[in-house]
Amino acid sequence: MPDTVFPSPVLVVLLGAAGSGKSTTAAAWPPESVLELDTFRELVSEDVLHQDATDEAVYALGTVVESRLARRLTTVVDADHTDVALRTKLLAIAERYDVPAVALVMTTPLRLCLDRNARRPPFLQLAEEAVRAQYVQALDATAGLRAEGFDRIEALFGGGRPG
């Protein structure tokens, strides 16, 4: 159970390319604790892959994270988190409410990410180039996560359980 591995409350930020196992990992927590950026993107645009709705989706996501951490509720954010601005926003919220922040970095090999993405329903598939870009961005971000302010950083292979 996640609460036996991490303090409660905690902000858990999943970092990895599409197909790396973020959603499988997030399923270790109760569904009401998990906030998916794709869900917010779909809510504001009616299209989960509508990338030009990301700014509005991030705003809405941030509002819900803020409300949950103010109530001292463990919150897991399922997004690729390759954008430092989103991580910075989430870390600022966690700091404001004195909630520790944990980064779970998915270490799934690129080939497996691409294979999983190809098996998704067509309306959920990303272009191969997008998955490759996310993969490289996640790798590049990993080294600086401690300096960004994460209290703990864990590496997970492809949808394994944290801990």
Side-chain angles (χ1 to χ4, degrees):
M1 195 71 177
D3 287 338
T4 62
V5 176
F6 298 114
S8 184
V10 64
L11 172 66
V12 178
V13 174
L14 302 174
L15 175 69
S20 65
K22 295 181 304 295
S23 295
T24 300
T25 298
W29 282 270
E32 64 275 8
S33 299
V34 179
L35 305 176
E36 294 182 59
L37 182 58
D38 286 346
T39 300
F40 286 88
R41 191 179 292 115
E42 185 173 30
L43 286 170
V44 301
S45 72
E46 296 186 355
D47 183 352
V48 70
L49 296 178
H50 205 136
Q51 296 301 308
D52 70 354
T54 299
D55 288 344
E56 293 93 340
V58 166
Y59 177 81
L61 173 75
T63 300
V64 176
V65 169
E66 179 108 24
S67 296
R68 289 186 56 81
L69 295 187
R71 292 177 176 273
R72 316 257 335 130
L73 297 172
T74 289
T75 303
V76 179
V77 181
D78 181 356
D80 60 49
H81 287 100
T82 57
D83 179 10
V84 70
L86 176 55
R87 293 192 309 270
T88 300
K89 177 179 184 160
L90 294 172
L91 286 167
I93 295 168
E95 184 176 347
R96 192 163 33 256
Y97 295 102
D98 196 28
V99 172
V102 174
L104 294 183
V105 180
M106 308 311 295
T107 61
T108 309
L110 176 59
R111 176 55 32 214
L112 185 52
C113 293
L114 292 169
D115 290 345
R116 288 175 176 171
N117 181 62
R119 290 193 306 263
R120 289 179 169 173
F123 67 93
L124 291 177
Q125 286 181 15
L126 294 179
E128 184 175 316
E129 301 78 40
V131 176
R132 288 179 181 280
Q134 286 178 349
Y135 187 85
V136 169
Q137 291 166 344
L139 283 179
D140 289 347
T142 301
L145 293 175
R146 178 81 58 206
E148 287 180 21
F150 283 96
D151 298 293
R152 184 169 161 187
I153 300 155
E154 298 275 335
L156 293 178
F157 176 83
R161 289 208 164 224

